[in-house]
Amino acid sequence: MIVDGGPRKNMNTAAMIEAFANGARSVSDEIEVKHVRLYDLDYTGCVSCLACKVKNSKYTDVCARKDGMTEVLRESAYADGLVLASPIYFSQITAQLRAFIERLIFPWLSYNDYSITPPKRIPTAIIYTMNAGPQFANTVAPNQEHIEGIIGRALQQPERIEALNTVQVKDYSRYDMAGFSAEAKQQWREEHWQQDLQNASDAGRRMAEKIIAE
């Protein structure tokens, strides 16, 4: 299950997802990959209804709130592997993906002993794409480690796949983006982008192999 927290259908995050999916499918015809775009859905983050914390609740596996994300949450909770993908905005994942993670994991969290009990403890991965270059890695890393820690505690520790210093637009001359050098961006892309895609494909293959082995 690939949950796409990016808004753009044909840019960097989408390309990394496609590479991951192709890598997973290359392992076996038995591997089925589903890709869901959160920006296509109508939903909210957790509304603190606490239906999942009522005694003998029937909502301890999937969030009780019924909206455009309900089925995605169910499919993600019972998948054999989960991949999250997001561009980085203000050093963090998108609000859409953060809302998904809240809704996915909060029903599994016990307020009796603070244990987290998902339906299945499955392999996970997170794909990040970011306009920031490697010089900003230390700024972004604490937020990545925080969200990965939450996911790792609930499921399995996610594999991190990153594409740095991405090209945001095709023609920088049309935008007020003088802080970036279009030439430097393009040079970085020519030197790194194919390897970024290969890294995503390799990660997809590794997850599929792990799923089949288990």
Side-chain angles (χ1 to χ4, degrees), residues 1-2 17-18 20-26 28-36 81 83 204 208:
M1 186 73 174
I2 301 178
I17 287 171
E18 182 178 9
F20 188 103
N22 288 339
R25 293 189 185 102
S26 71
S28 170
D29 292 338
E30 297 178 7
I31 296 294
E32 178 184 355
V33 179
K34 182 166 185 177
H35 171 202
V36 175
V83 184

Side-chain angles (χ1 to χ4, degrees), residues 42-201:
D42 184 10
Y43 66 97
T44 71
C46 175
V47 297
S48 195
C49 69
L50 297 180
C52 59
K53 302 296 178 274
V54 172
K55 290 183 177 180
N56 301 314
S57 174
K58 63 179 180 180
Y59 298 110
T60 58
D61 61 340
V62 178
C63 176
R65 184 170 176 80
K66 300 298 187 286
D67 59 16
M69 194 158 54
T70 299
E71 190 56 32
V72 176
L73 291 167
R74 179 169 297 279
E75 290 178 326
S76 298
Y78 287 93
D80 294 319
L82 178 63
V83 184
L84 308 177
S86 177
I88 294 296
Y89 294 165
F90 291 111
S91 300
Q92 301 192 41
I93 58 175
T94 60
Q96 281 74 9
L97 186 57
R98 175 59 191 243
F100 168 83
I101 294 169
E102 288 176 4
R103 295 272 302 277
L104 179 70
I105 295 177
F106 188 56
W108 307 339
L109 172 64
S110 168
Y111 270 0
N112 292 322
D113 60 7
Y114 300 102
S115 62
I116 299 179
T117 307
K120 301 165 66 175
R121 294 197 182 274
I122 57 177
T124 67
I126 303 185
I127 297 170
Y128 303 100
T129 61
M130 62 191 85
N131 180 51
Q135 68 271 31
F136 296 103
N138 290 338
T139 302
V140 178
N143 294 326
Q144 292 174 304
E145 291 164 3
H146 174 71
I147 205 71
E148 290 166 13
I150 293 171
I151 296 164
R153 185 180 167 202
L155 299 168
Q156 295 182 24
Q157 187 64 26
E159 178 173 1
R160 183 188 299 181
I161 308 110
E162 295 179 303
L164 306 178
N165 204 18
T166 54
V167 173
Q168 288 179 287
V169 295
K170 294 180 179 179
D171 182 2
Y172 276 83
S173 67
R174 293 184 57 217
Y175 299 87
D176 285 328
M177 294 184 176
F180 303 111
S181 163
E183 292 76 15
K185 282 278 190 184
Q186 188 58 41
Q187 181 178 351
W188 178 278
R189 189 175 184 86
E190 290 172 359
E191 294 173 354
H192 296 87
W193 181 238
Q194 289 305 313
Q195 186 59 56
D196 292 337
L197 294 174
Q198 186 62 54
N199 291 343
S201 177

